[in-house]
Amino acid sequence: MQFQQLAYFVAVAETRHFTRAAEQARVAQPSLSQQVRALERDVGATLFHRIRGNVTLTEAGETLLPIARRILAETETAYRAIRELDELGRGRVRLGATPSLCTGLLPAMLAAFRRAYPGIELVLHESGSRDLQTELSEGALDLAMIVDSRVHDDPRLSSTPLFVEELVVISPKAARAPVRGRLAIGDLRDRPLVMFRRGYDLREATVNACRAEGFDPVFAIEGGEMDAVLELVQAGIGLAVVPSTVVGDRFRMTQFTEPGLSRVVRLAYRRDVEQPRAVRALQDGIVRFLHGESGVGHLPPGTRSLVGA
């Protein structure tokens, strides 16, 4: 089994097409097909169903795919670590983050890191916590800022709590506040909500909180990503439960009554690999940004740092 064969196998698995995979790998299609067949002989199993141009993974292929991705990712990590031995001023870090963090806190944080390390290339991937954990486990990411504690279910991953983020209700700034003062979870009964797509932690948090009060929330519309949800609320379609860090000056913000709703943002990483120096620099940079030299940090209102607590 060769690394090149695994790379070709992953390319075919992701494109579901031999010709497109060959174009992506910049190799002749017959050569790629030959290498995939050689890999199948090596592992002793057929990896793809090939029916009239329709390429799908066999059970053996499904089993090999996450392993192949992990091998290729860890090989790339090893090459990067060796290349970075001489100097920290260069390198590449693949960071995953949830859409709310990309919208709220992350731009200022990454700008501060870029000022400190202009030679380090940052690759940002925006997705939900579950997907980010999978990609981190498979080696496609170096670090991930997530809001899901199920990272502990994966023996390859570990995480550090960063801060507690308050969840609030937003409505159009020109509209009347949904209630006077703070809002109880029960006040959301029969109020149309703009709801995130399935798989969003914010969706689960909102639905679970409502059900704990004995009712199912009413959706005015559902299925959006963070940017879409904010625009739909702005248009007056309904209320939404979001982190306080994304509110800004565009919306009217209503807090929940005590104890309220909150979530813990964590920095997740692989515990079973030696992180390159550039990755460790970003980890340290995130902590410094949140905590600050004086311990105050750069967290916006509605958040509480857990760094150094």
Side-chain angles (χ1 to χ4, degrees):
M1 187 184 299
Q2 301 175 7
F3 289 121
Q4 189 177 60
Q5 292 173 342
L6 291 177
Y8 292 165
F9 161 72
V10 171
V12 176
E14 292 178 345
T15 61
R16 294 294 197 267
H17 199 280
F18 276 84
T19 301
R20 284 197 291 270
E23 292 172 352
Q24 177 179 298
R26 297 182 179 179
V27 66
Q29 191 269 331
S31 177
L32 180 140
S33 298
Q34 182 180 11
Q35 290 297 321
V36 171
R37 284 194 296 270
L39 177 61
E40 290 177 320
R41 288 194 299 270
D42 288 342
V43 299
T46 301
L47 301 174
F48 295 105
H49 294 298
R50 303 165 173 87
I51 305 174
R52 296 180 180 176
N54 183 25
V55 179
T56 59
L57 286 166
T58 63
E59 184 177 358
E62 293 282 3
T63 301
L64 179 61
L65 183 57
I67 299 172
R69 282 174 170 159
R70 198 154 54 240
I71 291 171
L72 293 171
E74 290 177 2
T75 302
E76 172 61 20
T77 299
Y79 282 133
R80 286 191 290 129
I82 293 170
R83 288 196 300 266
E84 292 166 14
L85 283 175
D86 59 340
E87 185 180 0
L88 182 57
R90 59 189 176 89
R92 184 170 180 262
V93 184
R94 302 161 301 172
L95 173 67
T98 62
S100 61
L101 292 171
C102 290
T103 301
L105 183 67
L106 212 57
M109 181 185 294
L110 295 185
F113 181 78
R114 283 285 296 169
R115 287 193 293 271
Y117 300 101
I120 294 180
E121 178 189 356
L122 294 174
V123 180
L124 178 62
H125 180 63
E126 179 180 346
S127 191
S129 291
R130 292 183 186 178
D131 293 339
L132 292 175
Q133 288 181 65
T134 298
E135 293 176 58
L136 185 63
S137 181
E138 292 179 350
L141 296 173
D142 299 304
L143 300 170
M145 295 181 69
I146 61 172
V147 292
D148 193 340
S149 62
R150 278 170 289 193
V151 65
H152 301 299
D153 295 338
D154 192 325
R156 290 182 294 268
L157 302 184
S158 188
S159 67
T160 300
L162 295 176
F163 56 90
V164 178
E165 190 173 39
E166 181 185 10
L167 302 184
V168 298
V169 175
I170 58 170
S171 53
K173 199 161 189 178
R176 190 170 60 184
V179 296
R180 289 186 177 181
R182 290 179 177 250
L183 179 143
I185 299 296
D187 293 328
L188 294 179
R189 186 189 300 267
D190 300 325
R191 291 182 181 270
L193 298 179
V194 177
M195 185 51 64
F196 297 92
R197 63 168 172 81
R198 293 185 183 276
Y200 254 65
D201 302 284
L202 289 167
R203 180 190 180 108
E204 290 185 16
T206 304
V207 172
N208 290 340
C210 291
R211 287 176 176 168
E213 294 296 317
F215 68 96
D216 284 320
V218 176
F219 298 161
I221 189 170
E222 61 175 318
E225 303 280 349
M226 177 59 71
D227 289 342
V229 167
L230 295 178
E231 292 300 324
L232 291 167
V233 171
Q234 182 89 322
I237 292 178
L239 307 176
V241 177
V242 300
S244 60
T245 52
V246 306
V247 177
D249 298 326
R250 297 173 54 196
F251 301 97
R252 181 184 298 276
M253 183 180 81
T254 303
Q255 294 175 291
F256 285 106
T257 55
E258 296 296 341
L261 290 180
S262 63
R263 62 185 192 174
V264 176
V265 176
R266 312 178 72 89
L267 181 64
Y269 49 89
R270 289 279 297 274
R271 70 168 75 198
D272 59 343
V273 297
E274 180 67 26
Q275 296 288 12
R277 295 178 68 192
V279 175
R280 297 199 302 272
L282 180 56
Q283 285 180 291
D284 294 341
I286 290 172
V287 170
R288 285 198 304 271
F289 181 88
L290 296 177
H291 197 234
E293 296 301 326
S294 64
V296 177
H298 298 78
L299 284 172
T303 57
R304 175 170 57 85
S305 176
L306 296 176
V307 174

